[in-house]
């Protein structure tokens, strides 16, 4: 079906307008009156633009499948949700290399740190955000055995004798798993299967999204794991958590206008479709759906192995997620199409002055079936009629119309921007294995990732960056970025806020600890903010520290010390900030009004990189052992080869950080790449991310007792923690 482009006059883009003419300035009274009218109601009596944005938080539930089908076939139109007010997002262009993703500290219950070491078992577990809420990973340990995913195989290794590592069994998969969990004698493996449509139960379905699978094994006998059952969920895998024996799985199924009616995502067990007794709770919002992302939250007990519980949410995009022990929080940004706004504003401005013949045609367009013209196409068709009218006006009058519409649009977008910069948050209960929607709220700005959010008792805390607006109708000076902290109550209403922090910067990492939050922003230097949250209604800054570089990851060492892992940075010859090396900092916040950096260690090199910058599960820390281990690729210059690739082992205490030694795996080529000749620009040379794909890279590290284990796709190596001498090797 043909899509019409927005009209030239109403979007102020036509060269036919007489910009060289001089005309009387816009009449403020007229513009103000029309702006008030637009904010009250549209010309056809529908809600105003501002009201429609406000309504995007409202949640509704389909009463049955027929209502759901009608909605998809009439409301979801052809085309994507693109255009609209754009933001500079996370402002990654400020540094020479992408550094998105704050790292999750080691297992920390909301509000208090743990060290991950010093237990009776004395072994490390997956580095997670919230204690009691496990996160899937490619490596797991139960203190005696190691489970590791390499290629499309999972090896179960007896590590009780580090000098004689023994592979007890290996599970092979047709579709490579994305991760796993262990719960007692249960092994839970998950991934996305794009070949599921070959199953007889699915052959009649239209192909599109993949199927997320969950396979559950009994590992009582480690030498012969037994597959108990397999579940399949229509939709691509997004995220998951294991809370006790409850697996919470989040999947995304995309559906676009013009496709056959997709129905709610289906579920299978052991290749047979699960026949649900009733239509699952399916929610939607007052959004301008052009496509639909059906986000399904499913709950499954990995021991009882019954029928999964689930709810489906029609979201505009796949936002950030945060999971506590009893709730899931989902976020998304508000959206409106800038071109549509331009046309709607212009039509409202011209409504009273259009001739009766044109107004009659506008009415006729509104009555056309959506099968012939979608709502968007109707809008642009009406805009074309209005444009023809304006182009028929005298030159001087055209100029006045243009200037008044432009003034009106600037005024309107100033109001719209306040709503467009908001994030909507929905709270879903997970208590007792039951999925149940609870409440929704909204805040200004966008969270960086899951670690920008936290639940503390009945309160929900969230740190956001209000990004700079990218719009032709908003002055750049009026849209400078800043950062905020909000506290919401159990009903998701804002009860406390701290706004306007670090103007012109954006958040790089956040860490919540009991009554405090630590926030790192960055542009030229790294401000570490210490924020008091003891009184939920009055959050306040206690102190801040500015040092070169930035921290992507904040990890509690103890109650008064924080470890930061990020990048060193300086200014290049063009005046831009450029990342230089991996930097580890130890912050002392004993005096909250005057935080300081007790120690730092920099692994130098413009090409130096660590997976810990983007993946919190790559970090290994134990306070009791004075141990910090990070996977590091060290490269002094992009023009030369890699100098080292492996794991760096650090000794760390309250006042010092020292390199204890390095562990590398056989096959990790060092200095094998030839230097580049000539003076080629650095930005066209291969980056370290590309180079390391050809070498054995250490993906994960763990310890059991006084033994360090390092994992790569080629081998497992055991090393003594005291002297870092090799004890054993198991090759895949």
């Amino acid at each position: 079906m043909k899509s019409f482009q927005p009209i030239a006059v109403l979007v102020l883009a036509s060269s036919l307008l007489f910009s060289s003419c001089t005309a009387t300035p816009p009449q403020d009274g007229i513009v103000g009156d029309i702006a008030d009218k637009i904010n009250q109601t549209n010309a056809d009596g529908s809600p105003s633009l501002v009201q429609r944005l406000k309504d995007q938080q409202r949640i509704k539930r389909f009463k049955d499948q027929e209502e759901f089908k009608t909605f998809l076939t009439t409301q979801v139109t052809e085309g994507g949700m693109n255009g609209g007010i754009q933001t500079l997002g996370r402002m990654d262009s400020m540094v020479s290399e992408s550094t998105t993703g704050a790292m999750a500290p080691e297992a920390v219950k909301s509000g208090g740190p743990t060290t991950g070491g010093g237990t009776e078992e004395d072994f490390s577990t997956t580095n997670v955000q919230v204690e009691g809420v496990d996160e899937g990973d490619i490596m797991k340990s139960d203190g005696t055995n190691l489970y590791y995913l390499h290629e499309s195989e999972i090896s179960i290794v007896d590590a009780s004798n580090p000098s004689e590592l023994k592979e007890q069994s290996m599970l092979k998969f047709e579709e490579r798993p994305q991760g796993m969990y262990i719960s007692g004698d249960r092994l839970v493996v998950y991934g996305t299967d794009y070949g599921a449509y070959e199953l007889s139960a699915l052959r009649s379905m239209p192909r599109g999204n993949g199927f997320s699978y969950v396979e559950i094994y009994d590992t009582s006998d480690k030498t012969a794991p037994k597959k108990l059952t397999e579940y399949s969920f229509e939709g691509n895998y997004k995220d998951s958590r294991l809370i006790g024996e409850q697996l919470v799985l989040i999947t995304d199924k995309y559906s676009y206008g013009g496709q056959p009616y997709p129905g709610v995502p289906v579920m299978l067990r052991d290749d047979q479709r699960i026949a649900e007794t009733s239509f699952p709770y399916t929610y939607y919002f007052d959004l301008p759906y052009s496509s639909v992302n059906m986000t399904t939250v499913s709950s499954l007990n990995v021991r009882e192995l019954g029928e999964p519980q689930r709810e489906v949410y029609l979201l505009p995009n796949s936002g950030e997620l945060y999971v506590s022990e009893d709730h899931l929080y989902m976020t998304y940004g508000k959206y409106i199409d800038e071109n549509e706004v331009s046309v709607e504003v212009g039509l409202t401005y011209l409504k009273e002055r259009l001739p009766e013949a044109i107004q009659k045609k506008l009415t006729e367009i509104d009555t056309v079936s959506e099968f012939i013209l979608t709502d968007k196409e109707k809008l642009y068709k009406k805009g074309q009629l209005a444009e023809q009218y304006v182009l028929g006006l005298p030159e001087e009058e055209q100029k006045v119309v243009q200037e008044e519409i432009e003034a009106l649009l600037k005024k309107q977008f100033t109001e719209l921007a306040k709503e467009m910069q908001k994030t909507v948050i929905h709270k879903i209960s997970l208590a007792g294995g039951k999925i149940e929607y609870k409440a929704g709220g909204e805040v200004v700005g966008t969270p960086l990732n899951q670690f920008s959010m936290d639940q503390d008792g009945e309160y929900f805390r969230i740190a956001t960056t209000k990004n700079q607006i990218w719009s032709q109708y908003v002055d750049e000076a009026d849209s400078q970025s800043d950062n905020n902290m909000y506290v919401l109550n159990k009903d998701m209403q804002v009860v406390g806020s701290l706004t306007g922090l670090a103007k012109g910067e954006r958040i790089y990492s956040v860490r919540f600890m009991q009554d405090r939050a630590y926030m790192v922003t960055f542009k030229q230097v790294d401000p570490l903010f210490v924020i008091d949250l003891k009184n939920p209604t009055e959050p306040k800054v206690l102190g801040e520290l500015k040092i070169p570089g930035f921290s992507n990851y904040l990890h509690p060492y103890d109650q008064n010390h924080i470890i930061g892992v990020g990048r060193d940075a300086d200014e290049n010859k063009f005046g831009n900030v450029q990342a230089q090396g991996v930097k580890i900092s130890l912050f002392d916040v004993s005096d909250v009004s005057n935080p300081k950096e007790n120690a730092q260690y920099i692994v130098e090199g413009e090409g130096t990189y660590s997976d810990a910058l983007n993946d919190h599960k790559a970090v290994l820390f134990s306070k009791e052992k004075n141990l910090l281990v990070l996977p590091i690729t060290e490269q002094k210059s992009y023009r030369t080869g890699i100098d080292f690739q492996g794991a760096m082992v650090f000794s760390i205490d309250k006042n010092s950080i020292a390199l204890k030694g390095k562990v590398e795996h056989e096959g990790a080529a060092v200095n094998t790449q030839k230097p580049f000749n000539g003076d080629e620009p650095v930005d066209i040379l291969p980056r370290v991310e590309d180079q390391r794909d050809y070498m054995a890279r250490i993906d994960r590290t763990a310890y059991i007792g006084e033994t360090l284990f390092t994992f790569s796709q080629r081998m497992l190596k055991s090393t003594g923690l005291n002297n870092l001498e090799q004890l054993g090797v198991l090759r895949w």
Side-chain angles (χ1 to χ4, degrees), residues 117-123 143 704-705:
T119 63
E120 285 186 0
E121 297 83 2
D122 194 23
F123 70 95
I704 299 176

Side-chain angles (χ1 to χ4, degrees), residues 94 193 207 303 460 573 645 710:
M94 296 196 308
D193 181 6
R207 295 176 180 248
R303 190 160 297 276
F460 176 74
K573 62 182 180 181
Q645 184 163 251
T710 52

Side-chain angles (χ1 to χ4, degrees), residues 110-408:
S110 186
T114 63
T115 62
T119 63
E120 285 186 0
E121 297 83 2
D122 194 23
F123 70 95
S124 61
T125 56
T126 301
N127 199 9
V128 300
Q129 181 182 13
V130 179
E131 184 180 5
V133 182
D134 197 10
E135 301 180 31
D137 196 16
I138 60 174
M139 189 279 293
K140 292 288 180 178
S141 171
D142 61 15
T144 301
N145 301 282
L146 300 169
Y147 302 70
Y148 183 60
L149 169 62
H150 50 96
E151 298 299 335
S152 296
E153 302 168 341
I154 292 179
S155 292
I156 302 178
V157 179
D158 180 357
S160 57
N161 184 349
S163 299
E164 296 183 10
L165 299 173
K166 181 181 178 181
E167 184 178 66
Q168 301 188 79
S169 59
M170 178 187 289
L171 298 171
K172 297 185 178 182
F173 301 85
E174 292 184 7
E175 293 286 343
R176 180 174 181 172
Q178 291 172 258
M180 60 184 154
Y181 294 93
I182 54 173
S183 177
D185 59 2
R186 293 288 189 267
L187 169 64
V188 181
V189 183
Y190 61 85
T192 298
D193 181 6
Y194 293 98
Y197 291 98
E198 298 303 321
L199 297 173
S200 59
L202 301 177
R203 285 177 183 168
S204 62
M205 289 181 56
R207 295 176 180 248
N209 299 266
F211 271 74
S212 297
Y213 65 85
V214 175
E215 296 185 11
I216 301 176
Y217 294 81
D218 181 343
T219 58
S220 300
D221 181 355
K222 301 295 188 293
T223 65
K226 179 182 178 182
K227 183 176 178 180
L228 299 176
T229 191
E230 177 179 357
Y231 296 88
S232 296
F233 304 83
E234 186 182 7
N236 298 324
Y237 175 85
K238 177 176 174 60
D239 212 338
S240 63
R241 297 290 188 275
L242 185 65
I243 306 171
E245 296 177 350
Q246 177 193 9
L247 176 68
V248 179
L249 180 73
I250 300 99
T251 54
D252 287 334
K253 173 185 176 181
Y254 292 92
S255 178
Y256 300 92
Q259 294 181 338
Y261 166 64
V264 295
V266 304
M267 297 188 299
L268 296 87
R269 181 173 183 178
D270 296 330
D271 298 342
Q272 298 299 313
R273 188 162 176 171
I274 297 176
E276 295 181 87
T277 57
S278 61
F279 184 71
Y281 278 15
T282 304
Y283 298 91
Y284 66 107
F285 307 88
D286 282 331
L287 297 167
Y289 289 105
S290 291
S291 61
V292 170
N293 171 27
M294 299 184 198
T295 295
T296 302
V297 181
S298 303
S299 175
L300 169 67
N301 188 295
V302 300
R303 190 160 297 276
E304 295 178 358
L305 305 180
E307 182 175 321
Q309 304 295 311
R310 66 168 176 167
E311 287 188 350
V312 181
Y313 297 84
L314 273 61
L315 299 178
N317 51 59
S318 189
E320 301 297 335
L321 299 172
Y322 167 78
V323 183
S324 69
E325 289 185 280
D326 52 6
H327 288 95
L328 162 68
Y329 297 84
M330 299 191 303
T331 71
Y332 59 82
K334 293 189 174 183
Y335 169 84
I336 202 164
D337 190 307
E338 185 171 296
N339 292 330
E340 290 185 43
V341 172
S342 302
V343 178
E344 285 195 27
V345 168
L347 284 170
T348 303
Y349 171 87
L350 294 168
K351 180 66 177 178
E352 303 301 327
R353 60 179 79 186
L354 290 174
E356 183 178 348
I358 294 181
Q359 294 203 32
K360 182 178 179 180
K361 290 182 180 179
L362 297 180
T363 302
E364 291 175 352
I365 292 173
D366 285 329
T367 61
V368 173
S369 168
E370 289 188 4
F371 178 76
I372 305 300
L373 290 176
T374 66
D375 287 341
K376 181 181 290 188
E377 290 170 334
K378 289 178 184 179
L379 177 65
Y380 289 157
K381 186 68 175 177
K382 291 188 290 186
Q384 287 179 324
L385 290 174
E387 177 183 14
Q388 293 171 10
Y389 163 75
V390 173
L391 292 177
L393 297 174
E395 179 180 316
E396 191 70 14
E397 192 171 348
Q398 283 190 43
K399 182 63 176 178
V400 172
V401 168
Q402 176 190 358
E403 292 179 343
E404 290 191 345
I405 289 178
E406 182 174 2
L408 182 59

Side-chain angles (χ1 to χ4, degrees), residues 508-713:
Y508 267 63
S509 58
V510 182
R511 179 71 185 103
F512 290 92
M513 288 175 57
Q514 295 182 347
D515 296 332
R516 293 182 195 166
Y518 301 91
M519 178 193 295
V520 170
T521 62
F522 180 74
K523 186 175 182 179
Q524 297 286 344
V525 294
D526 174 359
L528 170 70
F529 291 96
V530 183
I531 300 174
D532 181 14
L533 296 171
K534 188 173 184 178
N535 183 348
T537 63
E538 294 183 7
K540 58 184 178 181
V541 174
L542 298 174
E544 64 178 283
L545 170 69
K546 294 186 177 182
I547 56 176
F550 51 86
S551 298
N552 296 90
Y553 164 92
L554 292 177
H555 186 104
Y557 176 87
D558 61 21
Q559 198 62 35
N560 294 310
H561 296 82
I562 306 292
I563 300 171
V565 180
R567 305 298 299 269
D568 192 24
D570 58 18
E571 188 173 299
N572 62 24
K573 62 182 180 181
F574 303 106
N576 299 320
V577 177
Q578 185 170 352
Q580 292 286 346
V582 172
K583 179 180 180 181
I584 307 168
S585 298
L586 183 66
F587 301 110
D588 184 345
V589 292
S590 302
D591 179 359
V592 293
S593 63
N594 185 33
K596 58 183 180 180
E597 186 182 44
N598 276 3
Q600 66 170 246
Y601 189 97
I602 299 175
V603 185
E604 296 181 350
E606 62 181 359
T608 297
Y609 175 82
S610 173
D611 285 344
L613 300 176
N614 296 290
D615 187 354
H616 62 286
K617 299 167 191 174
V619 177
L620 177 63
F621 169 72
S622 170
K623 177 187 174 185
E624 284 72 18
K625 294 180 180 294
N626 293 331
L627 177 70
L628 176 66
V629 185
L630 301 177
I632 296 283
T633 298
E634 187 177 8
Q635 186 178 23
K636 296 295 189 296
S637 171
Y638 287 126
R639 298 176 181 276
T640 62
I642 292 173
D643 299 288
F644 168 78
Q645 184 163 251
M648 288 192 175
V649 183
F650 298 91
S651 175
I652 185 168
D653 59 31
K654 294 181 180 180
N655 299 300
S656 65
I657 306 170
L659 179 63
K660 190 174 181 178
K662 301 178 180 180
V663 178
E664 63 182 16
H665 281 196
E666 180 181 316
V670 179
N671 284 327
T672 58
Q673 297 207 14
K674 296 180 180 179
F676 292 93
N677 297 320
D679 295 321
E680 297 171 274
V682 169
D683 61 358
I684 70 169
L685 300 179
R687 288 178 176 267
V688 66
E689 289 90 338
D690 303 318
Q691 295 182 25
R692 71 171 187 268
D693 288 340
Y694 298 98
M695 306 176 189
R697 180 181 64 184
I698 292 178
D699 298 310
R700 292 291 184 267
T701 59
Y703 67 79
I704 299 176
E706 296 304 314
T707 303
L708 175 68
F709 298 91
T710 52
F711 301 80
S712 72
Q713 293 297 302

Side-chain angles (χ1 to χ4, degrees), residues 455-522:
Q455 178 184 304
D456 182 46
E458 66 176 21
Y459 293 103
F460 176 74
R461 294 99 68 95
I462 180 170
T464 67
T465 295
K466 186 188 74 174
N467 293 303
Q468 184 177 5
I469 299 171
W470 188 258
S471 171
Q472 60 182 316
Y473 305 118
V474 179
D475 292 334
E476 184 175 338
D478 297 332
S479 64
Q480 190 177 28
S481 66
D482 58 33
N483 306 281
N484 316 291
M485 178 69 70
Y486 295 96
V487 182
L488 292 78
N489 63 16
K490 62 183 179 63
D491 298 318
M492 299 306 289
Q493 298 172 331
V494 175
V495 295
S497 63
L498 179 64
T499 61
L501 295 174
K503 291 187 180 297
E505 302 183 6
R506 61 100 165 167
I507 290 174
Y508 267 63
S509 58
V510 182
R511 179 71 185 103
F512 290 92
M513 288 175 57
Q514 295 182 347
D515 296 332
R516 293 182 195 166
Y518 301 91
M519 178 193 295
V520 170
T521 62
F522 180 74

